[in-house]
Amino acid sequence: MNSLNTYLIGDTLRSFREYKRLSIEELSEGVCTEEELSSFEKQVSYPDLETLNSLLRKLNVDLAYFFNVASKSSINYSNAVIRLINRYKRDWDYERIQEILDKELCNPIFQTDHLRQFLIWHQGICKFYLEKNLDEALELLYEAIDITNKKREDYNEREIEILTSIAILHKESNKFEEAISIFKKALDYFESLPDILDPRGKIRVYFGLAQALTEVCQYEESLIYCKTGIEYCITHELIYLLSSLYYQTGENLIKLFRKEEGLEYLDRAIYILQVQENKKFIKIIENEKDKLLHQW
């Protein structure tokens, strides 16, 4: 296969395999050795067309679509990188995100304001979660905002999402009052937008704000944002963070001595996760449920 160096064969192959939740052993079985597949994913060597086609059939991915995603042309390539980073972020895999950032921060493709902002934003997130350095993380996040909004006013949707990340890092650092203030600022900016392209950003604010308010024992106010977030999810037909909002509602109710009502919401959270077959988070919520009831 000539000119394969114009495609991200390895990263794209690994991306599809992980998306389908297949191990290297499972995907390689009957097609190639595990060592060969590992070599393909690391782009140490390339599969021939027949081998690649066999792997893609197991992944249920069309060959033409694969090469479109794997293309290094600036538009396809940058979109593929953004998709990878967003997926690793959902999985909290900041090591993988940092690996991508290390490769792409100096890439000429990513020197436009919009793309450079995206990378610096996630560099800040990685700085916090991998190095536990809040100050440097915040510097990077504000630097990302300044790329498109030096005055830091009249935020657009992307800038509000970065501001939400700033609030989340404060919350994760137990700086709850600061987090609450920034979450509310982000929510005000969302309310001022004529249209929201991705409703998940606003849901993140509702949930983060509710969490922070619970931490400072403002259970009634937290309930307001939980229920508003739940209604927003239902209105937009989104399951994103819905289980977390149900859990947060249940936690608040239990701490307000409304145990039976709270348990109903915790069970709703678990039900949604069961539908999603998210065993990892079911276990987390069940453990948290036990802790709450133990405190009762």
Side-chain angles (χ1 to χ4, degrees):
M1 296 176 68
N2 295 325
S3 70
L4 277 181
N5 59 353
T6 62
Y7 294 91
L8 286 172
I9 297 295
D11 283 348
T12 309
L13 192 56
R14 182 177 67 182
S15 174
F16 279 119
R17 175 178 63 77
E18 292 177 342
Y19 180 74
K20 299 287 184 176
R21 297 184 178 178
L22 293 176
S23 66
I24 285 181
E25 179 183 6
E26 290 170 328
L27 181 56
S28 63
E29 185 178 2
V31 179
C32 59
T33 67
E34 292 177 42
E35 291 76 14
E36 286 173 329
L37 179 53
S38 179
S39 178
F40 300 156
E41 290 189 353
K42 293 175 182 175
Q43 219 143 287
V44 173
S45 62
Y46 294 105
D48 57 48
L49 187 57
E50 182 178 351
T51 300
L52 179 59
N53 217 11
S54 297
L55 292 169
L56 295 181
R57 277 199 297 269
K58 291 187 73 171
L59 292 166
N60 195 28
V61 173
D62 178 73
L63 184 65
Y65 177 71
F66 176 85
F67 277 109
N68 184 49
V69 172
S71 169
K72 281 189 179 179
S73 67
S74 60
I75 295 175
N76 286 334
Y77 180 63
S78 61
N79 286 342
V81 169
I82 288 170
R83 284 196 298 270
L84 274 173
I85 288 175
N86 283 331
R87 201 183 74 248
Y88 288 143
K89 186 165 62 172
R90 288 194 297 271
D91 295 337
W92 303 339
D93 193 344
Y94 301 108
E95 289 85 358
R96 285 280 176 82
I97 295 174
Q98 188 60 58
E99 287 176 11
I100 295 171
L101 295 175
D102 289 341
K103 289 194 297 184
E104 306 300 346
L105 277 166
C106 294
N107 186 334
I109 290 173
F110 284 93
Q111 298 313 303
T112 64
D113 285 351
H114 186 75
L115 293 175
R116 187 161 57 92
Q117 182 180 61
F118 182 85
L119 293 188
I120 293 175
W121 170 19
H122 289 83
Q123 188 182 20
I125 292 171
C126 288
K127 178 68 70 173
F128 178 79
Y129 287 106
L130 296 179
E131 301 180 24
K132 311 302 180 188
N133 192 324
L134 177 62
D135 290 340
E136 289 189 19
L138 293 178
E139 282 183 22
L140 286 164
L141 292 174
Y142 280 114
E143 178 186 338
I145 290 173
D146 289 348
I147 289 173
T148 53
N149 189 348
K150 284 186 170 60
K151 292 183 178 180
R152 298 183 188 173
E153 56 188 27
D154 299 325
Y155 283 42
N156 64 30
E157 191 167 335
R158 160 73 70 76
E159 293 157 3
I160 300 170
E161 288 199 62
I162 301 171
L163 191 65
T164 302
S165 293
I166 290 169
I168 290 170
L169 296 195
H170 277 93
K171 176 175 65 68
E172 295 284 304
S173 303
N174 297 328
K175 297 177 180 291
F176 300 117
E177 295 296 347
E178 293 95 326
I180 290 166
S181 175
I182 298 169
F183 276 128
K184 288 184 175 181
K185 184 178 178 182
L187 192 56
D188 286 343
Y189 282 128
F190 266 125
E191 297 294 349
S192 70
L193 293 179
D195 189 33
I196 296 174
L197 296 176
D198 186 356
R200 292 174 300 177
K202 195 172 182 181
I203 295 169
R204 278 191 289 274
V205 175
Y206 284 132
F207 177 57
L209 180 52
Q211 272 191 318
L213 286 165
T214 299
E215 291 291 346
V216 295
C217 304
Q218 299 296 316
Y219 306 126
E220 294 285 3
E221 188 177 0
S222 178
L223 275 175
I224 292 170
Y225 291 106
C226 285
K227 292 185 176 180
T228 306
I230 289 168
E231 290 170 4
Y232 192 78
C233 286
I234 292 169
T235 299
H236 290 81
E237 298 181 342
L238 286 171
I239 203 168
Y240 177 73
L241 287 182
L242 185 57
S243 62
S244 299
L245 286 162
Y246 276 132
Y247 171 82
Q248 202 64 39
T249 303
E251 179 180 348
N252 286 322
L253 290 168
I254 288 172
K255 289 182 175 178
L256 287 167
F257 304 102
R258 294 156 64 180
K259 180 181 176 184
E260 294 306 317
E261 192 180 352
L263 286 174
E264 287 181 18
Y265 276 93
L266 296 184
D267 289 339
R268 289 185 199 179
I270 292 170
Y271 173 74
I272 290 171
L273 292 171
Q274 287 171 336
V275 171
Q276 294 177 300
E277 298 184 352
N278 194 331
K279 295 178 182 178
K280 176 182 175 182
F281 283 97
I282 290 172
K283 187 172 182 180
I284 290 172
I285 285 188
E286 286 178 339
N287 287 339
E288 292 300 316
K289 178 181 175 181
D290 289 341
K291 290 178 187 176
L292 283 172
L293 295 179
H294 183 71
Q295 295 169 5
W296 178 262

